[in-house]
Amino acid sequence: MVSLSTNESTPMNSPNPKSYLNSQHIVQCDCELQRLHFLKRYLTFSTKSQITSCWKVQEWLKYLNFPRDAEDVYHNLLRSSLELQEFSNSVRQIELDLKRTYPDEVYFNTKVGEDSLRRVLVAYCKYDPNLGYVQGMNYVVAALLWHCTEVDAFWIFVGLMEKHELRDTYLPAFPGLSKHCQIIQLLTLEQLPNLHRHFAQFDVQCRMYATEWCFSLFGSVVPANEMVTVLDNFFQKGWIFFYKFVIYILKRLEKQLLGANDLADIIMPLKICHKSQKEWKDFLLLLDNGRRRLTWEIMMNEVSKIVIDEDYIRYLHLHFDLDKAQFVSKRSN
């Protein structure tokens, strides 16, 4: 039984609930600086103190709907307590994942950064107690916090979950992951038939390499300061962009993957680690055959040029049964 009260202690049972609401979060991106004249940019560079969401966020908000009392709802969620074992389990997992989220980014290793990430994740667990926290959410929220205030980050995350079907991915048994993997396999068969046969020969399942990409919207692969292009594209194209990104990676690595004759050797280039910035740079080198020319911006431009049947993808999404975790033919009455 769920008990939700706004006059109880904080989720962490803090002795000082008011301090839990005292956010000192500082937006980390330089989106606003990039729009300034060079001299103004130079003069303001050393004093990073942005506490409002950047202009990119205003673009993202066009795709979503906020409640009128968005800030009050968010703060009420933080004040409330939730007496539920699943919620306690979520809080414990959040605490474990705070240090694992963009470990190379100094901000998320500070108390202010950790507190901001914790607050948004805990607030979402209260907002959607039936789902709670699932690993991968931390990367998406942290990427949003790079550009957003806590309130904006929370509600944009809610929008991603509810309007952009991200929630399906995190549901028990992960039906959304099953949907995306089935579509990726179809696209691989269509665009990379040799690689599809190679994967089948060695029983390479899509879940083996795409699960983290799906759960984190590539946040476990792309550095926090580069996630803006991923988010831009996802808000505009949704999962169609995600599928293009996966196919792009597979195309870039196809020659190496076809040359591997062992399951472990096939999976290794696709299981991208996220322990340090060096590993992200190594991944770019791997995609570019060591030529050091590929950047995240160039990559996103190339991803957008990949052609897939977008109408068919939308049709498949409309005809996916979450309970059965499979595509079904819906007959009209």
Side-chain angles (χ1 to χ4, degrees), residues 206-251:
C206 182
R207 286 178 179 239
M208 295 178 181
Y209 60 85
T211 296
E212 282 193 6
W213 303 349
C214 188
F215 278 36
S216 67
L217 290 184
F218 283 104
S220 63
V221 178
V222 182
N225 63 324
E226 300 288 352
M227 273 293 288
V228 61
T229 53
V230 174
L231 293 168
D232 275 343
N233 282 283
F234 193 81
F235 278 116
Q236 293 174 37
K237 289 291 188 177
W239 290 99
I240 287 171
F241 162 74
F242 178 86
Y243 304 139
K244 287 184 177 184
F245 199 174
V246 174
I247 294 301
Y248 174 83
I249 291 174
L250 294 179
K251 282 186 174 182

Side-chain angles (χ1 to χ4, degrees), residues 1 9 14 24 52 74 98 108 136 141 162 185 240 257 290:
M1 180 177 179
S9 61
S14 166
Q24 297 177 321
T52 59
Y74 176 68
L98 289 176
F108 291 116
V141 170
E162 297 179 352
Q185 288 175 221
I240 287 171
L257 295 172

